[in-house]
Amino acid sequence: LRCGMRSAKCQLLVTSLCVMLLGLSIATLSTVTHYGLHFTLLSDISLEDNSYRVIHHTAFYLGICLSMTLILAALLSSAATVRESQCLTAMGFFCFALAFCGLLPAACWRYTHSTEVEGSMMDVYDRVYEEVRRNLSSFRRHELTAIHKAFLCCGKHSPFGDTANIEQKTCPPGQVWDAGQDCLREIQHFLKKHLDFVSTLLAVTIAFTIYGMILTSFLWFSIHFSSNLERKGKYVLR
């Protein structure tokens, strides 16, 4: 029992360190997603009837909450390993379970709503582009120029065919439009790379969270039975 307990403690310490690093990575990714130029630009431009702004803020707060829960679970598990405390071990298990309950729906939402995020980002660009095309707002022209600079793209395929004047005024200097610089395609490509990284990070974090739950539960039972064995056969004077 003692040998298995020592092995579990070593593995739990390593797992806690990895979980803490993963929590910091999620916090960093959430901050970059919330304050990054590409996402912030589209969020500020989007109108109230577009769902992108809600998704943008929700992803940030959910990521911060998950990262804090993971870091807390790692700290409690490390303290429980050093002190061999059943209370701290139970609290560490609870934090791992709480993080798992948040990570699993987040991973499912990423696969079931990725098209919604992609569509909302493209809708923002489409609306700005069409308003500039119809000369409804001079301020929109500056916003369209900012999008072109951020995504390094220039215009889009339009069924109206009157896009040369727009691209001449809003594309970065010296940039010539071609089929590979379609902004809708560039936004889609940028979002796909970002979501692929998010998926990888979520999958690794879920795996370590499950392993942390197994180790903390094993350590709790090891501490419990070890203390019972040490007390067995002893007399208590009253």
Side-chain angles (χ1 to χ4, degrees), residues 126-194:
D126 274 331
R127 177 166 294 184
V128 175
Y129 189 90
E130 291 303 318
E131 289 188 10
V132 173
R133 188 185 65 81
R134 290 178 289 178
N135 292 321
L136 297 181
S137 173
S138 59
F139 183 72
R140 287 297 191 183
R141 187 176 294 109
H142 297 290
E143 294 177 340
L144 186 62
T145 303
I147 294 176
H148 288 164
K149 289 181 179 179
F151 287 92
L152 298 178
C153 59
C154 183
K156 68 169 187 174
H157 293 288
S158 176
F160 299 101
D162 54 346
T163 61
N165 188 37
I166 301 175
E167 291 152 7
Q168 185 178 1
K169 294 180 179 179
T170 60
C171 291
Q175 187 170 354
V176 181
W177 186 90
D178 57 47
Q181 292 175 325
D182 188 338
C183 276
L184 295 179
R185 186 178 301 175
E186 290 297 321
I187 291 174
Q188 184 180 23
H189 181 64
F190 172 81
L191 183 62
K192 182 180 182 302
K193 290 195 299 183
H194 186 79

Side-chain angles (χ1 to χ4, degrees), residues 71-141:
I71 293 173
L72 181 60
L75 293 175
L76 288 173
S77 300
S78 300
T81 304
V82 174
R83 300 184 60 181
E84 295 188 5
S85 170
Q86 283 185 277
C87 180
L88 291 175
T89 307
M91 292 173 64
F93 176 85
F94 175 76
C95 288
F96 275 121
L98 188 63
F100 177 78
C101 291
L103 287 166
L104 195 60
C108 294
W109 189 92
R110 178 262 176 270
Y111 285 103
T112 56
H113 292 76
S114 59
T115 54
E116 179 183 346
V117 179
E118 179 182 305
S120 62
M121 292 180 71
M122 291 183 175
D123 287 342
V124 174
Y125 180 80
D126 274 331
R127 177 166 294 184
V128 175
Y129 189 90
E130 291 303 318
E131 289 188 10
V132 173
R133 188 185 65 81
R134 290 178 289 178
N135 292 321
L136 297 181
S137 173
S138 59
F139 183 72
R140 287 297 191 183
R141 187 176 294 109

